[in-house]
């Protein structure tokens, strides 16, 4: 049994337009979580990630955070990676060890790129490994989905690729969605945040039959469009009636950035997860122009974006011991 394990977890983009709460893809942008068993329990380090010294926790915990927005991460026992770590030990009926968690962040917080999912997957996978791998991956996945409340970020964060998740009685069917090599994800990340809770609060609780049919058809088309890279299918498929119409107003400059992405050759543009990051899909020939156009359009609206041309991560959570 190892005393130290590092879990590198990819960012994710969920929904992809019509696939609200059921489809998502892993991106080549990462958070890293290193778990080191502290045996016997140690006092906290002199300096914490933010707000001074991390508090002493019964049993022993210390958390340090580096990377982007590191000073905003909670370093006490309510830290999401640690809560997920505890959850796994609770599930297997073992006492969790005292632990040091070193977090290195590359995924911005509260921007619709699955930062919470990286913490949940990192905590569960790290705990499972320190415990000697008692749980198979599908059980870790079930815990991750239960903690997050929906599967579309945690599933690709854990296993990589683009994944569709559907409930099957008490279990989940996870389906690999082939992603054509000439579909490039371009993410435009603004300098403002949008909490997932707020972005979910604005959604209706009921939808018309017409909207349900619209999204059913478009999600089917999206799956085939992603597989084939067929432009006409992708252009139509990225439309949605379940979440985007209600969330667009929360994202300053949404229309301008979308117009710019489409005018520069993108297949389409959607809200990444719950937003406010905007995701364009483009072919290799136009991806750079799309990225520049999205960035310029947002700057004209007074928003400072970071625009990244990424790839699909095919591996998911990667472990090194
Ligand atoms: N499917 C989720 C949503 C993703 O759009 O609210 C964010 O966690």
């Amino acid at each position: 049994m190892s005393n130290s394990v590092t879990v590198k977890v990819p960012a994710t983009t969920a929904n992809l337009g019509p696939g609200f709460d059921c489809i998502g893809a892993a991106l080549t942008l990462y958070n890293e979580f290193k778990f080191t068993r502290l045996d016997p329990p140690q006092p906290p380090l002199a300096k914490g990630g933010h707000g001074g010294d991390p508090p002493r926790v019964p049993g022993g915990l210390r958390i340090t955070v580096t990377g982007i927005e590191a000073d905003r991460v909670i370093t006490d026992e309510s830290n999401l990676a640690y809560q997920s770590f505890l959850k796994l030990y609770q599930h297997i009926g073992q006492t969790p060890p005292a632990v040091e968690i070193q977090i290195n962040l590359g995924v911005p917080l509260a921007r619709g790129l699955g930062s919470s999912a990286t913490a949940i997957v990192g905590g569960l996978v790290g705990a499972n490994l320190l415990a000697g791998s008692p749980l198979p991956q599908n059980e870790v996945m079930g815990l991750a989905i239960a903690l997050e409340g929906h599967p579309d970020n945690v599933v690709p964060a854990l296993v990589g690729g683009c994944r569709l998740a559907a409930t099957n009685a008490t279990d989940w069917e996870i389906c690999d969605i082939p992603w054509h090599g000439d579909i490039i994800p371009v993410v435009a990340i603004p300098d403002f945040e949008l909490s997932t809770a707020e972005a979910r609060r604005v959604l209706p609780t009921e939808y018309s039959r017409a909207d349900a049919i619209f999204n059913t058809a478009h999600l089917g088309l999206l799956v085939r469009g992603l597989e084939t890279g067929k432009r006409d299918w992708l252009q139509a498929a990225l439309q949605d009636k379940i979440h985007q119409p209600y969330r667009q107003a929360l994202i300053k400059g949404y229309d301008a950035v979308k117009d710019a992405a489409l005018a520069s050759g993108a297949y389409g543009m959607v809200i990444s997860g719950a937003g406010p990051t905007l995701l364009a899909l483009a072919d290799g020939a136009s991806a750079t122009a799309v990225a520049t156009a999205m960035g310029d359009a947002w700057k004209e609206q007074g928003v400072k974006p970071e625009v990244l041309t990424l790839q699909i991560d095919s591996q998911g959570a990667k472990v090194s011991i």
Side-chain angles (χ1 to χ4, degrees), residues 14-15 20-21 148 150 152-153 196 200 243 247 273-274:
N15 301 329
F20 179 68
D21 272 3
E148 179 79 333
H150 41 85
D152 47 344
N153 283 313
T196 298
R200 291 181 85 83
H243 71 114
R247 290 173 163 175

Side-chain angles (χ1 to χ4, degrees), residues 9 23 52 58 109 130 152 235 267:
V9 189
I23 193 169
L109 302 167
L130 281 193
D152 47 344
Q235 280 175 337
Y267 297 117

